[in-house]
């Protein structure tokens, strides 16, 4: 702990020295997520936005670990710590190469807006897959280990984690830019806040991200109660606070809490929001000239965020962790850890008459049927990187049952109903039924993927509402496929892949 405090004191001193040399305009410019260079101070441009929910995301190849909701099913905090370490190592390896090529674009930095610590209370919520579930205690335990793994315990932060979304954010997605979460005090302090408090007090996480929604009438990213009174004064948080992306524009346009971006920016920075993911903070100079904020407000925020950049070693002559080679990315050791995590996160819902496991000698012909039988998107989740190798359910069956004849059929689309298979949409149940009818065993691969279950604006609204499930049932076309397959094949194993709970009964 003493080493940590010494490290932070040095970083704060260096940040103060840098910020003291900046003009008012330069300080304001650094409070946007895509911070420009200040050449006369030797400050390079830096994009704060990066994601690592289950591996380095959106920046090319990386080890894609099971998504957070699946990792929660392992109930293994130690494993989460090891995964965090692996993700941080890959992040540094990619960062080292990106710097050599002068690539400082979005998703190329070391400030990860991870983990999502919201409570998955409503199973309809599309983003529940990013969380560790509905239990505040489990969320606390797993988040702590993942954060510690990401940040490391060396002289410098290996990467900077960020606890999000503060607070009481758990859908509905379609209303998130205007929604007011009305939460009773006992529920707030027993359900929605404990994980954040635990993480802040036990890990010294680098960042906290404010939520889109209002909490009891006040937009979270403009809430002095949340960001100053609770985080800083009561819990002792000494990191940086960032808005969710576009959340400050929502303050006037969605919540109608202020009349303009200028007012929203002024209110947010005074309330303790140091960094803006979005656009409102490009009006900070207007707010300053209108005497809505002071230079001290800008200075305080800039010192917070430059402390983090100093802790990451950005301004050191020898870049910390600069010797981590690119070969670390999606390496054999990390793939082995990924396999261990995948095995631990699988959940066996029912095993009638001890049917599983099925030995290779018991079957000679296997049908793998369903829209998720060869679906790579279902393997990736959301906020994902891209693996060097994808092993679908059908691929895995072929590997394990090498002597069996394996026949694969999509059977139907994830949700779209049609009697024709055309342009990726269709109902080809007859083909799936034929495969099942001629097999000793059918592996029926059902469920959803992130094309229809996920974040508002990132998914189709045909089956969901802004990424949230309309109900908890499987799409009708999958139910019809499942019923037809079970009519013709006596031995059926159902594999469900989804980000949230599903009711596999009939509608």
């Amino acid at each position: 702990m003493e080493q940590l405090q010494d490290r932070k004191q040095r970083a704060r001193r260096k940040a103060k020295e840098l910020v003291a040399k900046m003009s008012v305009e330069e300080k304001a410019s650094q409070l946007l997520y895509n911070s420009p260079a200040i050449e006369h101070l030797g400050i390079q441009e830096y994009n704060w936005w990066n994601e690592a929910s289950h591996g380095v995301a959106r920046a090319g190849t990386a080890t894609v670990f099971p998504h957070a909701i699946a990792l929660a099913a392992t109930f293994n905090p130690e494993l989460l710590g090891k995964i965090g370490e692996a993700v941080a190592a890959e992040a540094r390896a990619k960062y080292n190469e990106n710097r050599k090529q002068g690539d400082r674009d979005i998703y190329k930095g070391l400030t990860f807006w991870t983990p999502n610590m919201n409570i998955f209370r409503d199973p309809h919520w599309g983003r529940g897959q990013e969380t560790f579930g509905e239990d505040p205690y489990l969320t606390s335990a797993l988040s702590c280990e993942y954060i510690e793994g990401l940040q490391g315990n060396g002289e410098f932060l290996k990467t900077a984690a960020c606890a999000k979304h503060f607070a009481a954010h758990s859908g509905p997605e379609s209303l998130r830019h205007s929604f007011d979460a009305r939460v009773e005090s006992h529920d707030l302090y027993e359900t929605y806040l404990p994980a954040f408090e635990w993480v802040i007090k036990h890990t010294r996480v680098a960042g906290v991200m404010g939520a889109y929604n209002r909490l009891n009438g006040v937009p979270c990213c403009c809430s002095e109660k949340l960001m100053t009174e609770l985080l800083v004064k009561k819990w002792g948080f000494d990191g940086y606070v960032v808005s969710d992306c576009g959340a400050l524009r929502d303050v006037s346009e969605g919540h109608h809490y202020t009349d303009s971006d200028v007012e929203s920016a002024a209110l947010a920075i005074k309330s303790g929001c140091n960094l803006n993911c979005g656009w409102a903070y490009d009006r900070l100079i207007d707010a300053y000239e209108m005497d809505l904020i002071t230079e001290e407000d800008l200075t305080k925020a800039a010192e917070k965020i430059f402390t983090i950049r100093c802790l990451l070693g950005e301004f050191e002559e020898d870049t910390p962790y600069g010797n981590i080679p690119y070969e670390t990315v999606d390496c054999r050791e990390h793939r082995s850890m990924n396999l261990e995590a995948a095995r631990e996160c699988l959940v066996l819902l029912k095993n009638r008459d001890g049917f599983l496991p099925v030995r290779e000698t018991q079957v000679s012909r296997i049908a793998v049927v369903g829209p998720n039988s060869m679906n790579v998107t279902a393997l990736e989740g959301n906020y994902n990187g891209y693996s060097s190798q994808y092993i679908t359910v059908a691929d895995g069956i072929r590997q394990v049952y090498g002597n069996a004849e394996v026949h694969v059929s999509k059977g139907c689309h994830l949700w779209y109903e049609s009697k024709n298979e055309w342009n990726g949409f269709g109902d080809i149940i007859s083909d799936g039924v034929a495969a099942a009818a001629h097999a000793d065993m059918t592996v029926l691969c059902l469920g959803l993927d992130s094309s229809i279950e996920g974040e508002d604006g990132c998914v189709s609204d045909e089956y969901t509402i802004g990424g949230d499930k309309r109900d908890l049932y499987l799409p009708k076309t999958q139910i019809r496929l499942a019923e037809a397959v079970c009519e013709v094949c006596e031995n059926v194993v159902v594999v469900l892949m989804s980000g949230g709970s599903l009711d596999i009964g009939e509608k």
Side-chain angles (χ1 to χ4, degrees), residues 124 448 463 469-476 478-479 501-507:
H124 295 87
L448 311 174
Y463 173 73
K469 296 192 286 287
R470 295 175 187 268
D471 57 49
L472 301 183
Y473 294 103
L474 282 166
K476 290 181 180 179
Q478 292 192 44
I479 292 291
S501 301
L502 288 172
D503 184 342
I504 57 174
E506 296 184 15
K507 283 191 178 181

Side-chain angles (χ1 to χ4, degrees), residues 364-497:
S364 59
R365 186 173 178 85
I366 302 171
V368 185
V369 178
N372 277 337
S373 56
M374 297 178 289
N375 188 0
V376 169
T377 303
L379 303 180
E380 292 177 330
N382 68 350
Y383 284 81
N384 59 284
Y386 302 99
S387 177
S388 295
Q389 180 183 20
Y390 291 94
I391 301 175
T392 65
V393 177
D395 295 329
I397 295 291
R398 287 193 182 96
Q399 289 182 15
V400 173
Y401 297 92
N403 294 322
E405 181 70 28
V406 178
H407 190 82
V408 182
S409 174
K410 185 177 176 181
C412 69
H413 189 262
L414 273 175
W415 56 268
Y416 188 86
E417 293 190 74
S418 169
K419 290 298 179 184
N420 293 315
E421 173 70 12
W422 179 78
N423 199 27
F425 298 95
D427 171 350
I428 46 175
I429 286 177
S430 57
D431 188 61
V433 171
H438 292 272
D440 302 321
M441 178 181 73
T442 298
V443 179
L444 189 56
C445 304
L446 308 175
L448 311 174
D449 67 20
S450 61
S451 70
I452 56 174
E453 180 186 23
E455 186 169 8
D456 179 48
C458 298
V459 295
S460 166
D461 278 346
E462 297 291 341
Y463 173 73
T464 58
I465 304 173
D468 296 338
K469 296 192 286 287
R470 295 175 187 268
D471 57 49
L472 301 183
Y473 294 103
L474 282 166
K476 290 181 180 179
T477 188
Q478 292 192 44
I479 292 291
R480 291 197 294 110
L481 173 65
E483 290 173 343
V485 165
C486 290
E487 284 289 325
V488 300
C489 185
E490 183 178 351
N491 300 317
V492 178
V493 177
V494 178
V495 176
L496 289 175
M497 305 168 74

Side-chain angles (χ1 to χ4, degrees), residues 304-316:
K304 285 274 190 183
I305 64 171
F306 271 94
T307 297
I308 302 301
R309 292 176 69 168
C310 290
L311 285 170
L312 287 164
E314 180 180 344
F315 306 108
E316 301 299 313

Side-chain angles (χ1 to χ4, degrees), residues 20-272:
K21 299 173 184 177
M22 297 180 191
S23 67
V24 171
E25 290 79 9
E26 287 170 338
K27 292 174 187 177
S29 74
Q30 296 301 299
L31 305 185
L32 285 159
Y33 77 98
N34 51 346
S35 306
I38 304 178
E39 294 183 3
H40 73 94
L41 295 179
I43 297 172
Q44 300 284 349
E45 65 177 298
Y46 185 79
N47 198 303
W48 286 77
W49 191 346
N50 209 345
E51 307 285 354
S53 179
H54 54 125
V56 180
R58 301 176 176 177
T61 302
T63 304
V64 183
F65 291 95
H67 217 334
I69 192 65
L71 292 174
T74 69
F75 291 88
N76 188 342
E78 183 180 355
L79 177 61
L80 265 291
K82 292 178 181 178
I83 290 173
E85 291 173 6
V87 174
E90 293 195 12
R92 277 289 180 174
K94 294 172 77 69
Y95 178 77
N96 294 339
E97 291 299 318
N98 292 333
R99 279 171 60 95
K100 290 177 184 177
Q101 299 176 43
D103 187 353
R104 301 176 185 274
D105 205 349
I106 191 170
Y107 309 132
K108 306 299 173 59
L110 295 169
T111 42
F112 289 113
W113 292 341
T114 299
N116 185 333
M117 294 169 50
N118 296 129
I119 299 302
F120 193 8
R121 173 171 276 185
D122 184 346
H124 295 87
W125 189 31
R127 294 191 73 179
Q129 60 190 286
E130 301 170 35
T131 77
F132 293 125
E134 77 282 6
D135 180 19
Y137 176 77
L138 182 63
T139 298
S140 302
L142 298 181
S143 296
C144 276
E145 292 299 325
Y146 193 52
I147 289 166
E148 292 282 81
L150 284 173
Q151 297 195 158
N153 57 7
E155 182 181 357
F156 295 94
L157 292 174
K158 189 169 281 188
T159 66
C162 178
K164 68 183 186 185
H165 309 84
F166 193 60
H169 178 73
S170 56
E173 280 297 292
S174 61
L175 301 177
R176 69 182 186 175
H177 299 289
S178 59
F179 181 67
D180 186 11
R182 309 298 297 190
V183 186
E184 296 290 341
S185 181
H186 77 276
D187 203 15
L188 184 64
Y189 284 91
E190 290 181 3
T191 304
Y192 293 104
L193 296 182
F196 286 98
E197 180 180 7
W198 186 264
V199 156
I200 287 163
K201 290 183 175 180
H202 291 83
T203 68
R204 296 298 177 183
V205 62
V208 170
M209 175 179 279
Y212 283 117
N213 55 278
R214 277 170 285 160
L215 177 59
N216 296 329
V218 182
C220 291
C221 291
C222 290
S223 173
E224 186 175 1
K225 179 179 179 180
L226 284 176
M227 295 188 291
T228 299
E229 294 179 16
L230 199 58
L231 273 180
V232 178
K233 294 181 180 179
K234 188 173 182 180
W235 294 347
F237 178 63
D238 61 356
Y240 79 102
V241 177
V242 59
S243 73
D244 206 340
C245 297
L248 295 188
R249 180 153 290 180
D250 291 342
V251 175
S252 61
E253 295 185 2
H255 300 299
H256 306 292
Y257 194 78
T258 61
D259 293 328
S260 67
D261 278 353
V262 177
E263 292 181 17
S264 300
L267 181 59
I269 199 167
K270 280 186 168 295
S271 298

